Amino acid sequence: MTSSLKLPADWSDLDAKAIDTARLLAADAVQKVGNGHPGTAMSLAPAAYLLFQQYLKSNPASPTWAGRDRFVLSAGHSSLTLYIQLFLAGYGLELEDLKALRTWGSRTPGHPEYGHTDGVETTTGPLGQGVGNAVGMAMAARRERGLFDPDTPTGESIFDHHIYAIASDGDLEEGVSNEASSLAATQRLGNLTLIYDQNAISIEDDVDIAFTEDVAGRYEALGWHVQTVDWTNNGTGYTEDVVALQAALDEARSVTDKPSFIALKTVIGWPAPTLRGTGKAHGAALGEEEVAATKEILGFDPSKTFEVDPAVLEHTRSQAGERGAKLEADWQLAFEQWRTANPDRAALFDRISKRELPEGWDAELPSWDADEKGIATRKASSAVLQSFKNLPEIWGGSADLAESNNTTIEGEPSFLPSDRQTKMWSGGPFGRTLHFGVREHAMGSILNGICLHGGTRPYGGTFLIFSDYMRPPVRLAALMNLPTTYVWTHDSIGLGEDGPTHQPIEQLAALRAIPGLDVIRPADANETAVAWRTLLAQNNRPSGLALTRQNLPVFPRGTEGFAEASEAAKGGYTLIDAEGGEPDVILIATGSEVQLAVKARTQLAAEGIQARVVSMPCMEWFDAQDDAYRESVLPNSVRARVSVEAGVAEGWYRLVGDFGKTVSLDHYGASADQATLFEKFGFTPERVTAAAKESLVAAEAGKFQLERAAFGAVRPVDPNA
């Protein structure tokens, strides 16, 4: 198969050489490190060059400029596709960075990482996530347009910008991409263009062994505007027709009522003579002979590596730099005019851009008086959300569980195209209430995209058990330090009759295992309010609220020995201490089980045993306190300890120690009312009391053994005595 490179008439020989330079830099970089993905970066070089040099509204000298377009490389394994364009355009990467691909301390890790390299808008690696991120960015762009400039016609606002994404076959095989793409069509995200690199190759070579659907037809059925650009000419010859792709991108930009999908048919690894179009070009170095032969085909010196003509680099950087500087300068002029005409919206823009909360923002947070009958923490969370009506940056919804998660801010319009409104949900394109549908996985990746786009703070709700469906984007939120918020309700067997498929057992422990994620399980309504206040004050980590379906008693605060709820911000605190403050045993509990510990304390006191009750709503916050504080709550001198949580015991042993006991659940639940389940599975004050006594016995025995060992070390026993 022979090839020709069909370029726009106004492009020069330097543009053609820049594209070929990009291909060979990809081949050389992978060859040098000995591993990686050269093929896609080689065949996508013309498309990526077109985007970065002609389409992306961006400025290499100002990578975080608010008016920029966003680019997402969902096919993160082809990181060189992005890195090389950042190098050519002048984003700060240099040739030495490309040479350091996939090595310790480099700015060119194996997959793009947000916050690590200028010009990288999101961390992509797990396939499909980038598609979801791009959908979230497009949604955030529209929401922010509504906050700051809702009345200007579409396409004329300084807040109108576009989201571009490149996806691979693997991205579109992953289900999360289809979930997100379906919602993008429902939302009519005309500011989103997805380029599908349809090279039909994956690690296992030809995708016909596993992926044979009509992908363009699928996207048409979803409701996208669909185009196909076939550089393979249906297998009869290879023409890298940049002009045709340019026309497709222009048409995509003109379609404002649908997201756009461009299927770009390429040959992976082009123009490597023997490995192009094979799985060998996908995920491994091509080999020195193949790289040299490719250089000969392109007219480069096969004996040289990382060859970049200074004239090429001067051309690409000056072209991208001058274009970007003008785009930003023109935008800045219009922005200043907008600021003058809209001082209140400008003040909101400034505040949200820095993720700052206004003075006194928490003055309207609800609080609750002591109440034995109590309130479910999901309902308390709903009451807290109602107090955020004057914080428009906080927006969100649920994965089709709004009435169960209680995630709706009453009276706020839905985020919907006008023709998608229903009798129950009215709103408009700039609304605040999100509807994710039954798409937990996409919800997670979309929330990340919203956070990545700008200063708004999204939240998304589902049942705690279904956090399993969204674990990949939750992990990525933690990896990227994004302040996403998850409202996970129905947090234990206490949800009752739905049975073991819906009752989380191992989820709390599994989520706590994610570094950088705060898992918060409040004990009552007031702890729930404090949890929201605390997590919103943080801008650099995600938080998950685990909330109850059933009512929990509201503890008296600041009276009868109970601590103020504000102490919950420390993650763990003495809710109610032993009489005299010298406990024999410490009872540590979370969520709905804290009430059991409080009742067990009373039972133990009747037997002359002094117990301290520690509420531990967030282990991560507690771990962040200093040693002195943690010692004051859990003194090392008190070795008798009991943890109480309706889930697996993993994670608790480090707090209860060698002599502690766990009141936990090491099996699945059952279908029955919550009161029956808690009794049958031993979540009662009596069981907590018994565990405390067992721990006291174990601690005393352990103390005796330690004393005996210590005594023996000083005065050895004479065997002849």
Side-chain angles (χ1 to χ4, degrees):
M1 184 186 292
T2 60
S3 168
S4 63
L5 186 59
K6 186 177 180 181
L7 300 178
D10 58 344
W11 284 24
S12 70
D13 290 343
L14 288 175
D15 293 302
K17 192 169 185 180
I19 289 170
D20 288 340
T21 298
R23 303 184 209 271
L24 296 177
L25 287 174
D28 279 341
V30 175
Q31 191 64 34
K32 181 178 185 297
V33 73
N35 55 78
H37 300 77
T40 299
M42 293 171 68
S43 52
L44 276 184
Y49 186 80
L50 175 67
L51 277 176
F52 272 82
Q53 292 289 327
Q54 197 169 87
Y55 277 86
L56 277 177
K57 185 172 66 176
S58 61
N59 184 3
S62 183
T64 59
W65 161 42
R68 72 191 184 282
D69 289 342
R70 309 299 199 270
F71 173 74
V72 175
L73 182 68
S74 191
H77 55 276
S78 185
S79 57
L80 283 163
T81 296
L82 177 53
Y83 295 152
I84 292 168
Q85 295 308 319
L86 296 178
F87 162 68
L88 291 174
Y91 277 82
L93 287 184
E94 299 298 344
L95 204 55
E96 291 305 311
D97 295 304
L98 300 181
K99 292 178 180 179
L101 177 74
R102 300 169 72 95
T103 60
W104 177 265
S106 78
R107 292 194 290 171
T108 50
H111 293 78
E113 295 180 19
Y114 172 71
H116 187 74
T117 310
D118 285 346
V120 173
E121 300 280 6
T122 179
T123 297
T124 50
L127 290 171
Q129 291 298 322
V131 175
N133 293 165
V135 171
M137 290 177 184
M139 292 168 67
R142 195 171 86 193
R143 168 69 177 164
E144 291 173 24
R145 163 86 142 79
L147 289 176
F148 306 131
D149 195 25
D151 302 322
T152 302
T154 300
E156 298 178 20
S157 171
I158 57 171
F159 296 101
D160 282 327
H161 55 267
H162 213 76
I163 316 300
Y164 291 96
I166 289 179
S168 62
D169 288 289
D171 287 289
L172 301 188
E173 289 175 46
E174 288 286 1
V176 63
S177 64
N178 196 64
E179 289 182 28
S181 297
S182 175
L183 186 59
T186 296
Q187 286 291 348
R188 301 195 184 280
L189 298 177
N191 58 346
L192 172 63
T193 295
L194 177 62
I195 300 172
Y196 164 37
D197 178 31
Q198 191 172 6
N199 62 40
I201 292 293
S202 63
I203 290 177
E204 295 184 6
D205 206 72
D206 196 317
V207 298
D208 276 353
I209 60 172
F211 191 46
T212 57
E213 68 190 58
D214 176 1
V215 180
R218 189 218 312 172
Y219 269 81
E220 191 167 357
L222 288 174
W224 287 56
H225 173 258
V226 176
Q227 302 175 79
T228 297
V229 177
D230 185 3
W231 285 356
T232 72
N233 297 299
N234 202 28
T236 62
Y238 199 58
T239 305
E240 293 176 306
D241 193 343
V242 177
V243 176
L245 180 57
Q246 189 179 48
L249 288 168
D250 287 341
E251 184 173 341
R253 285 296 290 263
S254 72
V255 176
T256 59
D257 62 345
K258 293 180 178 181
S260 287
F261 181 86
I262 300 172
L264 177 63
K265 295 187 177 182
T266 65
V267 172
I268 194 170
W270 189 269
T274 66
L275 296 183
R276 68 193 186 206
T278 70
K280 298 293 184 183
H282 175 89
L286 299 178
E288 290 184 6
E289 291 184 5
E290 187 80 1
V291 173
T294 305
K295 290 176 180 177
E296 287 186 358
I297 290 171
L298 295 175
F300 283 65
D301 186 341
S303 67
K304 293 182 179 180
T305 60
F306 294 96
E307 182 180 358
V308 180
D309 185 336
V312 166
L313 195 59
E314 196 281 330
H315 170 70
T316 59
R317 289 188 173 180
S318 62
Q319 179 173 268
E322 290 169 11
R323 175 177 172 271
K326 185 178 187 309
L327 285 168
E328 184 172 4
D330 291 346
W331 182 89
Q332 192 64 39
L333 181 62
F335 178 69
E336 293 303 327
Q337 293 171 346
W338 169 82
R339 288 186 71 89
T340 301
N342 300 274
D344 291 342
R345 285 175 176 160
L348 179 63
F349 174 87
D350 291 342
R351 182 176 67 75
I352 288 179
S353 296
K354 292 181 283 190
R355 285 208 170 102
E356 291 179 349
L357 293 165
E359 190 72 27
W361 70 273
D362 55 352
E364 300 299 319
L365 279 177
S367 62
W368 290 263
D369 294 331
D371 180 0
E372 183 60 33
K373 292 183 179 179
I375 180 175
T377 52
R378 63 169 175 164
K379 291 184 178 178
S381 173
S382 175
V384 174
L385 283 173
Q386 308 316 309
S387 74
F388 296 156
K389 289 187 177 181
N390 293 325
L391 296 175
E393 66 266 40
I394 299 173
W395 61 311
S398 178
D400 199 51
L401 290 168
E403 292 187 343
S404 293
N405 298 146
N406 298 148
T407 50
T408 304
I409 301 177
E410 300 298 332
E412 294 292 329
S414 289
F415 182 86
L416 286 168
S418 299
D419 63 340
R420 301 295 196 201
Q421 298 179 71
T422 67
K423 291 181 180 178
M424 184 172 181
W425 301 102
S426 62
F430 305 139
R432 186 173 184 179
T433 301
L434 288 167
H435 305 282
F436 294 100
V438 188
R439 301 183 182 97
E440 293 88 356
H441 197 169
M443 177 175 73
S445 61
I446 288 169
L447 291 173
N448 287 349
I450 292 172
C451 266
L452 288 160
H453 182 272
T456 64
R457 296 286 297 268
Y459 63 87
T462 186
F463 291 170
L464 179 58
I465 191 71
F466 301 135
S467 64
D468 285 350
Y469 279 133
M470 58 191 301
R471 187 178 178 89
V474 172
R475 182 180 187 271
L476 285 169
L479 182 62
M480 290 188 277
N481 305 122
L482 301 180
T484 48
T485 301
Y486 313 106
V487 181
W488 290 317
T489 69
H490 296 58
D491 71 335
S492 73
I493 57 171
L495 67 89
E497 293 84 352
D498 277 344
T501 62
H502 280 51
Q503 292 165 4
I505 302 299
E506 73 279 18
Q507 278 66 32
L508 287 169
L511 289 165
R512 287 177 182 140
I514 298 176
L517 171 67
D518 294 337
V519 180
I520 313 159
R521 191 168 185 245
D524 71 354
N526 287 308
E527 274 195 13
T528 305
V530 172
W532 269 108
R533 185 177 65 197
T534 306
L535 71 87
L536 286 177
Q538 300 180 152
N539 285 328
N540 62 349
R541 53 195 296 122
S543 301
L545 290 160
L547 306 173
T548 66
R549 176 197 187 196
Q550 73 274 22
N551 287 350
L552 302 185
V554 179
F555 299 115
R557 295 294 179 170
T559 184
E560 300 178 30
F562 285 87
E564 297 288 354
S566 58
E567 292 293 296
K570 298 173 182 174
Y573 67 104
T574 300
L575 174 65
I576 185 167
D577 210 348
E579 291 294 334
E582 295 293 334
D584 301 313
V585 61
I586 300 175
L587 311 178
I588 317 168
T590 76
S592 51
E593 289 75 71
V594 173
Q595 61 178 311
L596 305 180
V598 170
K599 291 175 180 176
R601 172 184 174 275
T602 301
Q603 292 181 0
L604 289 164
E607 299 183 41
I609 300 171
Q610 299 301 312
R612 169 182 293 176
V613 176
V614 170
S615 178
M616 186 71 68
C618 182
M619 287 184 178
E620 294 78 19
W621 293 349
F622 184 71
D623 289 343
Q625 306 305 313
D626 60 35
D627 292 344
Y629 176 76
R630 294 198 305 273
E631 171 66 17
S632 73
V633 176
L634 300 176
N636 287 322
S637 59
V638 183
R639 296 174 177 271
R641 301 179 182 185
V642 178
S643 68
V644 193
E645 186 171 73
V648 296
E650 275 76 8
W652 284 107
Y653 297 113
R654 68 184 179 89
L655 293 179
V656 299
D658 293 340
F659 309 116
K661 301 296 178 182
T662 62
V663 178
S664 55
L665 202 58
D666 60 359
H667 55 79
Y668 296 112
S671 181
D673 67 274
Q674 62 97 9
T676 298
L677 290 173
F678 273 86
E679 179 185 356
K680 295 294 186 182
F681 291 146
F683 287 92
T684 64
E686 290 73 22
R687 184 183 173 197
V688 177
T689 297
K693 293 177 180 177
E694 292 169 10
S695 183
L696 281 164
V697 170
E700 187 61 29
K703 179 182 177 183
F704 174 74
Q705 291 171 357
L706 289 171
E707 289 175 347
R708 182 175 180 181
F711 180 76
V714 176
R715 296 180 58 187
V717 176
D718 183 350
N720 297 317

